[in-house]
Amino acid sequence: MNYRLRVASRALAAIGGGYAVSALAVAALAIALPGREVDRVVTATLTGLVVYPCAVMWCFATSTAWRAWLGLAVIGLLLWAVVFFGGRA
């Protein structure tokens, strides 16, 4: 049963946490990239399509489920700071 809980925790981190990190990465890149608005959004969205599978792979490549959650939380907080403090007027 313990093994199944660890896999379920990693799957939850991969699905939910990966989506959150991907969405924050898209928002942060759309704010931080130079250029026209449409170009920034398209580039950020395409990059988000790469970030999500990388986050999923990270969750299952770490040695523990705690490390997966911690890694996603740290990256998520950094991206959130970029979105929160770097917003355009």
Side-chain angles (χ1 to χ4, degrees), residues 72-86:
L72 291 175
V74 168
I75 293 169
L77 284 173
L78 291 173
L79 290 170
W80 175 83
V82 170
V83 171
F84 187 75
F85 295 114

Side-chain angles (χ1 to χ4, degrees), residues 3-78:
Y3 173 76
R4 289 181 184 201
L5 288 175
R6 288 187 305 222
V7 172
S9 178
R10 285 176 192 253
L12 229 118
I15 296 167
Y19 180 80
V21 165
S22 178
L24 284 169
V26 168
L29 282 172
I31 290 170
L33 288 174
R36 295 183 311 158
E37 183 175 347
V38 66
D39 294 333
R40 291 193 322 253
V41 170
V42 168
T43 303
T45 303
L46 291 174
T47 305
L49 294 173
V50 174
V51 170
Y52 185 68
C54 289
V56 170
M57 286 186 282
W58 162 260
C59 290
F60 287 99
T62 59
S63 57
T64 64
W66 286 109
R67 186 169 287 177
W69 283 105
L70 181 64
L72 291 175
V74 168
I75 293 169
L77 284 173
L78 291 173

